[in-house]
Amino acid sequence: MCTAFVSIEPESAVPVLLLSVRDEYLGRAWLPPGHHWPDRPELLGGMDLVAGGTWLAVDPGRRTAACLLNGFGPPAPAPARLTRGRLPLTAVEEGGIGRLDLTPYDPFHLVLVRADGARVSSWDGRRPAERELPAGLSVVLNDGLEGLAAGRTTSERVRALMAARAAHFRARFAAGPRPEPTGAGPTAAAWGGWLPIVTGDGLAPDADAALVQRRDFGDGRIWGSSSISLLALGPELLRYDFAVAPVGSDGVGWRRIAAV
């Protein structure tokens, strides 16, 4: 149940903000953000050690970033299946994935953020879809933009959890001032009132609305939030902050990965 919130304010000093929370089985091995791909040395991102790709890629020079969320729908045929973790790398380098044949990929939603806006590309295993995000606050879930993808989960429980998360945190972000992280200072100073919210807002990790979560669905594995990423983009800036989840609301445990 990965989640991405995108805030777009075209007249702001920082037009685009992205919050990306990665949820995964917590036993899956990964590396924190770095320059992990020799064939793409300019790109930053955490590396999934199972498939070699990433859930979020950043190109500081192009002022772009892309985060990946798993979707719902029929999986790709096993003999031809490709890892979705290469899609964010391709998106930030090429400005999207429109040229790709998506049939070898399992369903997904890809959020591409730029200095002037953001776009969601979705694949439900049958047909692609793209939508440019409007000004304001948008949320992308495994059920798609605003939870309204054509291919949605059939699990009422999972759908209810995602809806609770979206409703709670949309209201919380709307209730306070929007940050403008324009400098290279500490994470707490840059993100201000957003930081206590993005680190969980005081909710228990098994609460229905939990953003930073930890759940036992009864299959012997623990599902939870493994990392949190914060991105700020503008024509002349990009800032990328990262934390391994769970993390406190005081700024301890955060790393500034890039500030240009």
Side-chain angles (χ1 to χ4, degrees):
M1 292 184 291
C2 298
T3 305
F5 282 92
V6 183
S7 172
I8 300 175
E9 297 293 344
E11 304 305 317
S12 169
V14 186
V16 180
L17 304 178
L18 169 67
L19 160 64
S20 172
V21 179
R22 184 196 186 209
D23 295 335
E24 184 56 84
Y25 284 111
L26 296 182
R28 190 175 177 113
W30 56 281
L31 294 174
H35 296 281
H36 296 302
W37 300 276
D39 60 329
R40 289 160 162 161
E42 73 281 5
L43 302 189
L44 283 164
M47 175 180 263
D48 173 44
L49 292 176
V50 175
T54 187
W55 58 95
L56 189 150
V58 179
D59 187 331
R62 290 186 176 92
R63 310 290 197 269
T64 59
C67 70
L68 180 73
L69 297 83
N70 293 347
F72 297 105
R81 182 177 294 142
L82 298 176
T83 175
R84 291 168 290 190
R86 302 295 288 186
L87 295 171
L89 302 169
T90 299
V92 295
E93 274 200 328
E94 301 187 8
I97 55 171
R99 68 173 185 82
L100 294 180
D101 173 14
L102 299 180
T103 54
Y105 299 97
D106 288 346
F108 66 84
H109 306 285
L110 183 79
V111 184
L112 177 66
V113 291
R114 317 172 305 268
D116 64 345
R119 182 170 72 249
V120 178
S121 299
S122 297
W123 168 246
D124 64 2
R126 298 182 181 89
R127 61 190 65 83
E130 284 196 343
R131 181 173 174 183
E132 190 75 11
L133 296 187
L137 186 66
S138 298
V139 59
V140 184
L141 307 154
N142 299 112
D143 263 351
L145 178 61
E146 307 297 345
L148 298 175
R152 301 175 67 192
T153 178
T154 58
S155 167
E156 291 298 328
R157 176 60 175 155
V158 172
R159 188 177 295 178
L161 292 174
M162 290 190 289
R165 177 190 289 194
H168 176 92
F169 285 91
R170 180 188 297 281
R172 292 291 290 120
F173 288 130
R178 182 180 185 270
E180 293 189 348
T182 56
T187 301
W191 292 92
W194 268 35
L195 207 61
I197 302 173
V198 304
T199 52
D201 203 32
L203 297 178
D206 60 352
D208 280 5
L211 181 66
V212 179
Q213 61 179 304
R214 182 181 176 91
R215 302 185 191 277
D216 183 350
F217 288 115
D219 63 355
R221 297 178 293 173
I222 301 300
W223 180 270
S225 303
S226 59
S227 66
I228 309 169
S229 299
L230 287 167
L231 275 292
L233 300 97
E236 304 298 328
L237 69 94
L238 179 144
R239 179 175 176 127
Y240 176 16
D241 291 89
F242 175 86
V244 176
V247 64
S249 60
D250 55 4
V252 177
W254 286 87
R255 292 173 51 203
R256 189 180 71 247
I257 304 298
V260 295

